[in-house]
Amino acid sequence: MLYNINPLLSPDLLHILRSMGHGDQIVIVDANFPADSHAQRLVRLDGANATQALEAIVSVLPLDTYVEAPVHTMQVVGDPQAVPEIVAEFYQIASNGPGGEVPHQSIERFAFYEQVKNAYAVVVTNETRLYGNVILTKGVIG
Amino acid sequence: MLYNINPLLSPDLLHILRSMGHGDQIVIVDANFPADSHAQRLVRLDGANATQALEAIVSVLPLDTYVEAPVHTMQVVGDPQAVPEIVAEFYQIASNGPGGEVPHQSIERFAFYEQVKNAYAVVVTNETRLYGNVILTKGVIG
Amino acid sequence: MLYNINPLLSPDLLHILRSMGHGDQIVIVDANFPADSHAQRLVRLDGANATQALEAIVSVLPLDTYVEAPVHTMQVVGDPQAVPEIVAEFYQIASNGPGGEVPHQSIERFAFYEQVKNAYAVVVTNETRLYGNVILTKGVIG
Amino acid sequence: MLYNINPLLSPDLLHILRSMGHGDQIVIVDANFPADSHAQRLVRLDGANATQALEAIVSVLPLDTYVEAPVHTMQVVGDPQAVPEIVAEFYQIASNGPGGEVPHQSIERFAFYEQVKNAYAVVVTNETRLYGNVILTKGVIG
Amino acid sequence: MLYNINPLLSPDLLHILRSMGHGDQIVIVDANFPADSHAQRLVRLDGANATQALEAIVSVLPLDTYVEAPVHTMQVVGDPQAVPEIVAEFYQIASNGPGGEVPHQSIERFAFYEQVKNAYAVVVTNETRLYGNVILTKGVIG
Amino acid sequence: MLYNINPLLSPDLLHILRSMGHGDQIVIVDANFPADSHAQRLVRLDGANATQALEAIVSVLPLDTYVEAPVHTMQVVGDPQAVPEIVAEFYQIASNGPGGEVPHQSIERFAFYEQVKNAYAVVVTNETRLYGNVILTKGVIG
Amino acid sequence: MLYNINPLLSPDLLHILRSMGHGDQIVIVDANFPADSHAQRLVRLDGANATQALEAIVSVLPLDTYVEAPVHTMQVVGDPQAVPEIVAEFYQIASNGPGGEVPHQSIERFAFYEQVKNAYAVVVTNETRLYGNVILTKGVIG
Amino acid sequence: MLYNINPLLSPDLLHILRSMGHGDQIVIVDANFPADSHAQRLVRLDGANATQALEAIVSVLPLDTYVEAPVHTMQVVGDPQAVPEIVAEFYQIASNGPGGEVPHQSIERFAFYEQVKNAYAVVVTNETRLYGNVILTKGVIG
Amino acid sequence: MLYNINPLLSPDLLHILRSMGHGDQIVIVDANFPADSHAQRLVRLDGANATQALEAIVSVLPLDTYVEAPVHTMQVVGDPQAVPEIVAEFYQIASNGPGGEVPHQSIERFAFYEQVKNAYAVVVTNETRLYGNVILTKGVIG
Amino acid sequence: MLYNINPLLSPDLLHILRSMGHGDQIVIVDANFPADSHAQRLVRLDGANATQALEAIVSVLPLDTYVEAPVHTMQVVGDPQAVPEIVAEFYQIASNGPGGEVPHQSIERFAFYEQVKNAYAVVVTNETRLYGNVILTKGVIG
């Protein structure tokens, strides 16, 4: 436990967030995501759901303001305009960080999978709600 | 996620529980416990508290019926007879496993620390209640 | 030994099954299969045959209901419609898991080999019956 | 699979048996034995019981003829003269190897544990019969 | 760079501070200290001096309120009552953390070296002022 | 030393032969062969020549009966029909194994080198006779 | 601390600079640069800024006189002729080394990123000024 | 120190020379060569120059008599026919080995760099003369 | 293969002999010796017997002239004055090295085992003659 | 090669010298010293003799002025007052460093060996003169 640091930010997760730089991506995935086979670096948060993990991460992680959107979610298959409840929660939490409101974007499922493979790290949660996956792009602090 | 297996039992935790044998001990510790400096093997469950971790573990782990008590908690310093609420919960949960009711014992603080150093593994939780640490001794299945 | 967990699920095998996600594949192979040269991760079950291994695995592994068939076997060379006895057993055991009946598919021998190379893990058994190999695709638990 | 070699002798087990020399000990233990915390080297044979493992090992391993007894079993607690059925089977199988009949000895439980800690290797089986553990001392071939 | 986290807290240093528990010690040492030969874990901060390092660390690290003093400095050889300027600065900075004022203690030089060997980690700085070494004992957050 | 196992089958060589499966290849090479730069796995038998090594290996290794020839030797450069004396010995020894007579084939020098790169393992001997290299393809035991 | 060696040259940084040869490149990057995901070898100098790091490095590193320019900086996006203040400082410091004045060159942002990926090593600083990144090409000492 | 073995042949260098086979190449490079970034295996001889290293190596290494030339040097840029004094020394020393006179060849600078990347090993010396680099191709001993 | 180096001196064995210094010991053991459990470093020469190994080693290894005897053999149990034929061969071969005649000594069996545990390295041969073990102490070359 | 750094200071040697602190010791040993079996960290300088190595090291290493003597040599056995020529050279070179003249001390042979075992690192040279070994204790730079 450390002062001013959300307890979900474990030693490995803090190490990863601090090592990332401008443009590097971190992904929060649900309990059924094939995380181990897609991740370059993996952190498990088996006792937390995806929105708790997101809240912890955005409390310290600056989001990128140089790209169209630093928050990517997965489009509902067959209904790309739909916004599942958990995705709406993701958008709200992401804009609650110290950096304030940020734009978001949903991307097609297989494009999402490709981004995960190239992401800096993946955080596995016990989330079971559908579409409970979100990609964050790190920004800068000046 | 697997059928019939509590989602808090992560890959590493399952591996440890399955590798343990008769008499090996596993310890669930709170968020302030010096776990890394005392553990021979360490698993983090940053999103769960100690009672959730205990519930998950006793759902699969047989407790030792050949010893006086397979459940050890830490005595309250200065009041060895006291039973803090979380310790009472530990006793109840430990007896809810498939093996049924088991005896428990509280041990002096430094004896507790010594057992942790010799234990097979330590599970770190985000527990913040005082005395939120418990040692389990594995039993046999025949 | 753990409660409610088939003893053939060794520490390494449990770790692998729990780490896999939706769409990841695990393969059970016979005693003559070139497992080590084809597997990304390898677990040996030298004392069990392929049907025992399958029974143990499907007791905890959800099979994928989003694909045409989560169970792939190898077609008999020269007689793709044939169903060897062990393959019939595979189909029956795979449908005995907690998820109930699942569709299956036989695939051509070299396509089978390619899937093994890309699979998450391979389990080696002491099976000596011909065509004693089966690929399982993990599904989701919600 | 190799000619003339029992299929339970896995790659790791063959490596260990061939690396051992005169006086080195290998232990076959049951499914509840605390093998990982006591073994210097560990091989798992999750699908085989202790007598199958013993039969496989003595098919290649010479037993020591320079010591009082190259086969050690664990004395029944409280009845050191008792010979449980599985122990009787151990004695018979151990004398069925290419080296012929060998003497055996039962030793006190804690002395047995000490020998396991100093043994060259431990083989874990799925044996569930009580007293299903046996220590073998390697001999010479001239 | 992360929000609300001092930039001197590098990935490795954050990992260490977060992994420590109640009673674990971290030591900040000067540029001439034999750190590598005394440390169980080592982090280098070659661009910072000891007071900058201390300021960064106490911004997140709770100090132990259950011991006589969670801040230990090295006594001036031959003048144990002396308080070098840098030591005075250490005392002030240590009491500027979120936990407020904390007691301190100076200990004899060789006792200091012994504590370093047992400490959880050592942070090397470019400090060149004499007696520029300080030991911190982690406390709890509840 | 083990009963019924040729003493040239060292711990590493036994491990490799037992780990290979149907279709995997092992190569025995002479003392001048660039083994380390071509081998995926390497075993040294510095005290044995190539025919001794072959005799040891075929005493346990089944050769593939599903391919044109499980024994490949290197064609004499400029005289592809020639059969050097050591190659003739290879053919005879290979047919002396428990599986009986097997067909053989000589292949062009650079094709031979390519097969070595893809082979499961290479065994280095002290052979100094020209063309003292031979590739074996593992078969099945049913 | 060593005689005549800038204290910012840590053990790892000295090792890297001494291991580099003619034409190898080292990059100094700012605190927001995605260093870990782009670097083949990484050294952190968390307490120093980019100009301090440059000054330390050019005190020992010969710069390449066989190329057009051994010092590369990143062009201002949208204004390739601009020379930010920190870049001007880089140019001055780079020419203050024992080798004297050296030519420099600014390169387009994405070409800069590509060079970083191929560079021998990357040094992370706490620099927060924009365009605080510089690539150095090692020369020869005869 | 060993009888009949040049003291410059260190443990690692002897290991490499003995592991190489027919056609494998070893390169001796000067003090400014980018050795670490080009070598598959690296040995440092910081106290010897290139001609001393060559003399030590050819005292045990057979050179290839099946290729046009087992000794490659780098052509002088702009004057491919030139033979720098050190290159002339290389040619003489290479022909002083137990195998007697061998042909040599100079190759274009970038072709030389490519050969280094593919070579079995690189030996770094403290040579400072220009063109002080030489590639040797191992031959056979029959 | 290298000029003037006995082919039994494999890469690892050469590395060990060259790394040893004055007073370090190397042991040649027979095929039944418990080498792996007693050796700090192990080299296998599965195709050579103990006298061949000794001949190869003394061709390069200086023996210690500052001790009573640099060659130790094991006393025959029950007949300490006996000199088995292989021991006589050891004495003759050891005196055939470049350093000429050396004194020898036989030591009691358990003292021999203790020396093996402290020796720098052990060489395993396929020797099957009784008392086929010998310890060599390295000397100096000046 | 780096500016102002003796070329004998290889990457590993620089790393060690820079990592050492006040009171840590480094030892330069001759070609026959049992370095590998006595050293905690080992650097080889196979082409340099002991006085060259010493000259390179004291060009950067401060020697300890808080101890009786930061330079220890080995006493001549049987003549503790003797000062061999190489030892006299050691004393002169050690006083030629940037720190100026330093006291020296000769210590008994076995005490010397004990210090080597506890030293931070050992540097192996090709020195063949008797008593060509010297221990240096690092001092401080303020």
Side-chain angles (χ1 to χ4, degrees):
Chain A
M1 304 276 279
L2 294 173
Y3 286 128
N4 303 322
I5 292 185
N6 187 310
L8 285 179
L9 301 176
S10 67
D12 286 352
L13 186 45
L14 272 178
H15 193 280
I16 279 172
L17 293 168
R18 179 68 179 85
S19 296
M20 289 169 63
H22 185 192
D24 287 329
Q25 296 186 314
I26 189 166
V27 191
I28 298 167
V29 300
D30 64 44
N32 288 303
F33 197 91
D36 199 48
S37 54
H38 283 70
Q40 295 186 8
R41 294 171 193 80
L42 190 76
V43 177
R44 299 193 68 93
L45 276 184
D46 295 287
N49 64 26
T51 45
Q52 290 170 319
L54 180 59
E55 193 173 350
I57 288 173
V58 297
S59 72
V60 295
L61 188 78
L63 295 173
D64 196 355
T65 58
Y66 292 80
V67 292
E68 211 176 328
V71 178
H72 286 183
T73 54
M74 198 192 282
Q75 289 177 359
V76 174
V77 177
D79 184 1
Q81 303 308 322
V83 179
E85 190 179 339
I86 189 171
V87 169
E89 276 188 61
F90 283 156
Y91 293 159
Q92 180 165 4
I93 294 168
S95 287
N96 282 347
E101 201 167 336
V102 292
H104 50 260
Q105 206 168 39
S106 72
I107 60 179
E108 189 274 333
R109 188 181 168 218
F110 289 106
F112 192 95
Y113 272 70
E114 280 311 302
Q115 282 199 17
V116 177
K117 281 189 193 164
N118 294 319
Y120 186 86
V122 173
V123 180
V124 180
T125 66
N126 67 4
E127 184 63 62
T128 55
R129 288 171 282 180
L130 288 175
Y131 297 98
N133 306 296
V134 58
I135 300 171
L136 305 173
T137 304
K138 189 174 181 177
V140 305
I141 292 183
Chain B
M1 304 276 279
L2 295 172
Y3 285 129
N4 303 322
I5 292 184
N6 187 309
L8 285 179
L9 301 176
S10 66
D12 287 352
L13 186 45
L14 273 178
H15 192 280
I16 279 171
L17 293 168
R18 180 66 179 85
S19 296
M20 289 168 63
H22 185 192
D24 288 328
Q25 296 186 314
I26 189 166
V27 191
I28 299 169
V29 300
D30 65 44
N32 288 303
F33 196 92
D36 200 49
S37 54
H38 285 68
Q40 294 186 9
R41 294 171 191 80
L42 190 75
V43 176
R44 297 194 69 93
L45 276 185
D46 296 285
N49 64 26
T51 45
Q52 291 171 319
L54 180 59
E55 192 173 353
I57 288 172
V58 297
S59 71
V60 297
L61 188 78
L63 295 173
D64 196 355
T65 58
Y66 291 80
V67 291
E68 208 176 330
V71 178
H72 287 183
T73 55
M74 197 191 283
Q75 287 177 359
V76 174
V77 177
D79 184 2
Q81 304 307 324
V83 180
E85 190 179 340
I86 189 170
V87 170
E89 276 188 62
F90 284 157
Y91 294 160
Q92 180 165 5
I93 295 169
S95 287
N96 282 347
E101 202 167 334
V102 291
H104 51 260
Q105 205 168 41
S106 72
I107 60 179
E108 189 274 333
R109 188 180 168 219
F110 290 105
F112 193 95
Y113 271 70
E114 281 311 301
Q115 282 200 17
V116 177
K117 281 188 195 164
N118 294 319
Y120 187 85
V122 173
V123 180
V124 180
T125 66
N126 68 7
E127 184 62 62
T128 56
R129 286 171 284 180
L130 288 174
Y131 296 99
N133 307 295
V134 58
I135 301 172
L136 306 173
T137 303
K138 189 173 181 178
V140 306
I141 293 182
Chain C
M1 305 276 279
L2 296 172
Y3 286 129
N4 303 321
I5 292 185
N6 188 309
L8 285 180
L9 301 176
S10 67
D12 287 351
L13 185 46
L14 272 178
H15 193 281
I16 279 172
L17 293 168
R18 180 66 178 86
S19 296
M20 289 169 63
H22 185 193
D24 288 327
Q25 295 186 314
I26 189 166
V27 191
I28 299 167
V29 300
D30 65 44
N32 288 302
F33 197 91
D36 199 49
S37 54
H38 284 70
Q40 294 185 10
R41 294 173 193 78
L42 190 75
V43 177
R44 298 193 69 93
L45 277 184
D46 295 287
N49 64 26
T51 46
Q52 290 171 319
L54 179 60
E55 193 173 351
I57 288 173
V58 298
S59 72
V60 296
L61 188 78
L63 296 173
D64 196 355
T65 58
Y66 291 80
V67 292
E68 210 175 329
V71 178
H72 286 183
T73 54
M74 198 193 282
Q75 288 177 358
V76 174
V77 177
D79 184 2
Q81 304 307 321
V83 180
E85 190 180 339
I86 188 172
V87 170
E89 276 189 61
F90 283 157
Y91 293 160
Q92 180 164 5
I93 294 169
S95 288
N96 282 347
E101 201 167 335
V102 291
H104 51 260
Q105 206 169 41
S106 72
I107 60 179
E108 189 274 333
R109 189 182 167 218
F110 289 105
F112 192 95
Y113 271 70
E114 280 311 302
Q115 282 199 19
V116 176
K117 281 189 194 164
N118 294 319
Y120 187 86
V122 173
V123 180
V124 180
T125 66
N126 67 7
E127 184 63 62
T128 55
R129 288 171 282 180
L130 288 175
Y131 296 99
N133 306 295
V134 58
I135 300 171
L136 305 173
T137 303
K138 189 174 181 177
V140 305
I141 292 181
Chain D
M1 305 275 279
L2 295 172
Y3 285 129
N4 303 321
I5 292 185
N6 187 310
L8 284 180
L9 300 176
S10 67
D12 287 353
L13 186 44
L14 272 178
H15 192 281
I16 278 172
L17 293 168
R18 180 66 178 84
S19 296
M20 290 169 63
H22 185 192
D24 287 329
Q25 295 186 314
I26 189 166
V27 191
I28 299 168
V29 300
D30 65 43
N32 288 303
F33 197 90
D36 199 49
S37 55
H38 284 68
Q40 295 186 9
R41 294 171 192 79
L42 190 75
V43 176
R44 298 193 69 93
L45 276 185
D46 294 286
N49 63 27
T51 45
Q52 290 171 319
L54 179 59
E55 192 173 353
I57 288 172
V58 297
S59 71
V60 296
L61 188 78
L63 295 173
D64 196 355
T65 57
Y66 291 80
V67 291
E68 209 176 331
V71 178
H72 287 183
T73 55
M74 198 192 282
Q75 288 177 359
V76 175
V77 177
D79 185 0
Q81 304 307 323
V83 180
E85 190 178 340
I86 188 171
V87 170
E89 276 188 61
F90 284 156
Y91 294 160
Q92 180 165 4
I93 295 169
S95 287
N96 282 347
E101 202 167 334
V102 290
H104 51 260
Q105 205 167 41
S106 72
I107 60 179
E108 189 273 335
R109 189 182 166 216
F110 289 106
F112 192 94
Y113 271 70
E114 280 311 302
Q115 282 200 18
V116 176
K117 281 189 194 163
N118 293 319
Y120 187 85
V122 174
V123 180
V124 180
T125 66
N126 68 3
E127 183 63 61
T128 55
R129 286 171 284 181
L130 287 174
Y131 296 99
N133 308 296
V134 58
I135 300 172
L136 306 172
T137 303
K138 189 174 181 178
V140 305
I141 292 183
Chain E
M1 306 275 280
L2 295 172
Y3 285 128
N4 303 322
I5 292 184
N6 187 310
L8 285 179
L9 301 176
S10 67
D12 286 353
L13 186 45
L14 273 177
H15 192 281
I16 279 172
L17 293 168
R18 180 68 178 84
S19 296
M20 289 168 64
H22 185 192
D24 288 328
Q25 296 186 312
I26 189 166
V27 191
I28 299 168
V29 299
D30 65 44
N32 288 302
F33 197 92
D36 199 49
S37 54
H38 284 69
Q40 294 186 9
R41 294 171 192 80
L42 191 75
V43 177
R44 298 193 69 93
L45 276 184
D46 295 287
N49 63 27
T51 45
Q52 290 171 320
L54 179 59
E55 192 174 352
I57 288 172
V58 297
S59 71
V60 297
L61 188 78
L63 295 173
D64 196 355
T65 58
Y66 291 80
V67 291
E68 208 176 330
V71 177
H72 287 183
T73 55
M74 198 192 282
Q75 288 177 358
V76 174
V77 177
D79 184 1
Q81 304 308 322
V83 180
E85 191 179 339
I86 190 171
V87 170
E89 276 188 61
F90 283 157
Y91 293 160
Q92 180 164 6
I93 294 168
S95 287
N96 282 347
E101 202 166 335
V102 291
H104 51 260
Q105 205 168 41
S106 72
I107 60 179
E108 190 272 333
R109 187 179 169 219
F110 289 105
F112 192 96
Y113 271 71
E114 280 312 301
Q115 283 201 16
V116 177
K117 281 189 195 164
N118 293 320
Y120 186 86
V122 174
V123 181
V124 181
T125 66
N126 67 8
E127 184 62 61
T128 55
R129 286 171 284 181
L130 287 174
Y131 296 99
N133 307 296
V134 58
I135 300 171
L136 306 172
T137 303
K138 190 174 180 177
V140 305
I141 292 182
Chain F
M1 305 274 281
L2 295 172
Y3 286 129
N4 303 322
I5 292 185
N6 188 309
L8 285 180
L9 301 177
S10 67
D12 287 352
L13 186 45
L14 272 178
H15 192 281
I16 278 172
L17 293 168
R18 180 65 179 85
S19 296
M20 290 169 62
H22 185 192
D24 287 329
Q25 296 186 314
I26 189 166
V27 191
I28 299 168
V29 300
D30 65 44
N32 287 302
F33 197 91
D36 199 50
S37 54
H38 283 70
Q40 293 185 12
R41 292 172 194 80
L42 190 75
V43 177
R44 299 193 69 94
L45 276 184
D46 295 287
N49 63 26
T51 45
Q52 291 171 319
L54 180 58
E55 193 173 351
I57 289 173
V58 299
S59 71
V60 295
L61 188 78
L63 295 174
D64 196 355
T65 57
Y66 291 80
V67 291
E68 210 175 331
V71 178
H72 286 183
T73 55
M74 198 192 283
Q75 288 177 358
V76 175
V77 177
D79 184 1
Q81 304 307 323
V83 179
E85 191 179 339
I86 189 172
V87 170
E89 277 188 60
F90 283 156
Y91 293 160
Q92 181 165 4
I93 294 169
S95 287
N96 282 348
E101 201 167 336
V102 290
H104 52 260
Q105 205 168 39
S106 72
I107 61 178
E108 189 274 332
R109 188 182 167 217
F110 289 105
F112 192 94
Y113 271 70
E114 280 311 301
Q115 283 199 17
V116 177
K117 281 189 195 164
N118 294 319
Y120 187 85
V122 173
V123 180
V124 180
T125 66
N126 68 7
E127 183 63 61
T128 56
R129 286 171 284 181
L130 288 175
Y131 296 99
N133 306 296
V134 58
I135 300 171
L136 305 172
T137 303
K138 189 173 181 178
V140 305
I141 293 182
Chain G
M1 304 275 280
L2 295 173
Y3 285 129
N4 303 320
I5 291 185
N6 188 309
L8 285 179
L9 301 176
S10 67
D12 287 353
L13 186 45
L14 272 178
H15 192 281
I16 279 173
L17 292 168
R18 180 67 179 82
S19 295
M20 290 169 62
H22 185 192
D24 287 329
Q25 296 187 313
I26 188 166
V27 191
I28 299 167
V29 300
D30 65 44
N32 288 303
F33 197 91
D36 199 49
S37 55
H38 284 69
Q40 294 186 10
R41 294 171 191 80
L42 190 76
V43 177
R44 297 194 69 94
L45 275 184
D46 294 287
N49 64 26
T51 45
Q52 290 171 319
L54 180 59
E55 193 173 351
I57 289 172
V58 297
S59 71
V60 296
L61 188 77
L63 295 173
D64 196 355
T65 58
Y66 291 80
V67 292
E68 211 177 327
V71 178
H72 286 183
T73 55
M74 197 192 281
Q75 288 177 359
V76 175
V77 176
D79 185 1
Q81 304 307 324
V83 179
E85 190 178 339
I86 190 172
V87 170
E89 275 188 62
F90 283 157
Y91 293 160
Q92 182 166 3
I93 294 168
S95 287
N96 282 349
E101 203 168 333
V102 291
H104 51 260
Q105 206 168 41
S106 73
I107 60 179
E108 189 273 334
R109 189 181 167 217
F110 289 106
F112 191 96
Y113 271 70
E114 281 310 302
Q115 282 199 18
V116 176
K117 281 188 195 165
N118 294 318
Y120 186 85
V122 173
V123 181
V124 180
T125 67
N126 67 2
E127 184 62 61
T128 56
R129 287 171 283 180
L130 288 175
Y131 296 100
N133 307 296
V134 58
I135 301 171
L136 305 173
T137 304
K138 189 173 181 179
V140 304
I141 291 182
Chain H
M1 305 274 281
L2 295 172
Y3 286 128
N4 303 322
I5 292 186
N6 188 310
L8 286 180
L9 301 177
S10 67
D12 287 352
L13 186 45
L14 272 179
H15 192 280
I16 279 173
L17 293 168
R18 180 67 179 83
S19 294
M20 290 169 61
H22 185 192
D24 287 329
Q25 295 186 314
I26 189 167
V27 191
I28 299 167
V29 299
D30 65 44
N32 288 302
F33 196 91
D36 199 49
S37 55
H38 284 70
Q40 293 185 11
R41 293 171 192 80
L42 190 75
V43 177
R44 298 194 70 93
L45 277 184
D46 295 286
N49 64 27
T51 45
Q52 290 170 319
L54 180 59
E55 193 173 351
I57 289 172
V58 297
S59 71
V60 296
L61 188 78
L63 295 174
D64 196 355
T65 57
Y66 291 80
V67 291
E68 211 176 328
V71 178
H72 286 183
T73 54
M74 198 192 281
Q75 288 177 0
V76 175
V77 177
D79 184 1
Q81 304 308 323
V83 180
E85 191 179 339
I86 189 172
V87 170
E89 276 188 60
F90 283 156
Y91 293 160
Q92 182 166 2
I93 294 167
S95 287
N96 282 347
E101 203 167 333
V102 291
H104 52 260
Q105 205 167 41
S106 72
I107 60 178
E108 190 273 333
R109 188 182 167 216
F110 289 105
F112 191 95
Y113 271 69
E114 280 310 301
Q115 282 199 17
V116 177
K117 280 188 195 163
N118 294 318
Y120 187 86
V122 173
V123 180
V124 180
T125 67
N126 67 8
E127 183 63 60
T128 56
R129 286 170 284 179
L130 288 175
Y131 296 100
N133 307 295
V134 58
I135 300 171
L136 305 172
T137 304
K138 189 173 181 179
V140 305
I141 292 182
Chain I
M1 304 275 279
L2 294 173
Y3 284 129
N4 304 321
I5 292 184
N6 187 310
L8 284 181
L9 301 177
S10 67
D12 287 352
L13 185 45
L14 273 177
H15 192 281
I16 278 172
L17 293 169
R18 180 67 179 84
S19 295
M20 290 169 62
H22 185 192
D24 287 329
Q25 296 186 313
I26 189 166
V27 191
I28 299 168
V29 300
D30 65 44
N32 287 303
F33 196 91
D36 200 48
S37 55
H38 284 68
Q40 294 186 10
R41 293 170 193 81
L42 190 75
V43 177
R44 298 193 68 93
L45 276 184
D46 295 286
N49 63 26
T51 46
Q52 290 170 320
L54 180 59
E55 191 173 353
I57 288 173
V58 297
S59 71
V60 296
L61 188 78
L63 295 173
D64 197 355
T65 57
Y66 292 80
V67 291
E68 209 176 329
V71 178
H72 287 183
T73 55
M74 198 192 282
Q75 288 177 358
V76 175
V77 177
D79 184 1
Q81 304 307 323
V83 180
E85 190 178 341
I86 189 171
V87 170
E89 276 188 61
F90 283 157
Y91 293 160
Q92 180 165 4
I93 294 169
S95 286
N96 282 347
E101 202 167 334
V102 290
H104 51 260
Q105 205 168 41
S106 72
I107 59 179
E108 189 274 334
R109 189 181 167 217
F110 288 106
F112 192 94
Y113 271 71
E114 279 312 301
Q115 282 200 17
V116 177
K117 280 188 195 165
N118 293 318
Y120 187 86
V122 174
V123 180
V124 180
T125 66
N126 68 4
E127 184 63 61
T128 56
R129 287 172 283 181
L130 287 175
Y131 296 100
N133 308 296
V134 58
I135 300 172
L136 306 172
T137 304
K138 189 174 181 177
V140 304
I141 292 182
Chain J
M1 304 274 281
L2 295 173
Y3 285 128
N4 303 322
I5 292 184
N6 187 309
L8 285 180
L9 301 176
S10 66
D12 286 353
L13 185 45
L14 273 178
H15 193 280
I16 278 172
L17 293 168
R18 179 68 178 85
S19 296
M20 289 169 63
H22 185 192
D24 287 329
Q25 296 186 312
I26 189 166
V27 191
I28 299 168
V29 301
D30 65 45
N32 288 303
F33 196 91
D36 199 49
S37 55
H38 284 68
Q40 294 186 10
R41 293 171 193 81
L42 190 76
V43 177
R44 298 193 69 93
L45 275 184
D46 293 287
N49 63 27
T51 45
Q52 290 171 320
L54 179 60
E55 193 174 352
I57 288 172
V58 297
S59 71
V60 297
L61 187 78
L63 295 173
D64 196 354
T65 58
Y66 291 80
V67 291
E68 208 176 330
V71 177
H72 287 183
T73 54
M74 198 191 282
Q75 288 177 358
V76 174
V77 177
D79 184 1
Q81 304 308 323
V83 180
E85 190 178 340
I86 190 171
V87 169
E89 275 188 62
F90 283 157
Y91 292 159
Q92 180 165 4
I93 293 169
S95 287
N96 281 347
E101 203 166 334
V102 291
H104 51 260
Q105 205 168 41
S106 72
I107 59 179
E108 189 273 333
R109 188 181 168 218
F110 290 105
F112 192 95
Y113 271 70
E114 280 312 301
Q115 283 201 16
V116 177
K117 280 188 195 165
N118 294 319
Y120 187 86
V122 174
V123 180
V124 180
T125 66
N126 67 3
E127 184 62 61
T128 56
R129 286 171 285 181
L130 288 175
Y131 296 99
N133 307 296
V134 57
I135 300 172
L136 306 172
T137 303
K138 190 174 180 177
V140 306
I141 292 181

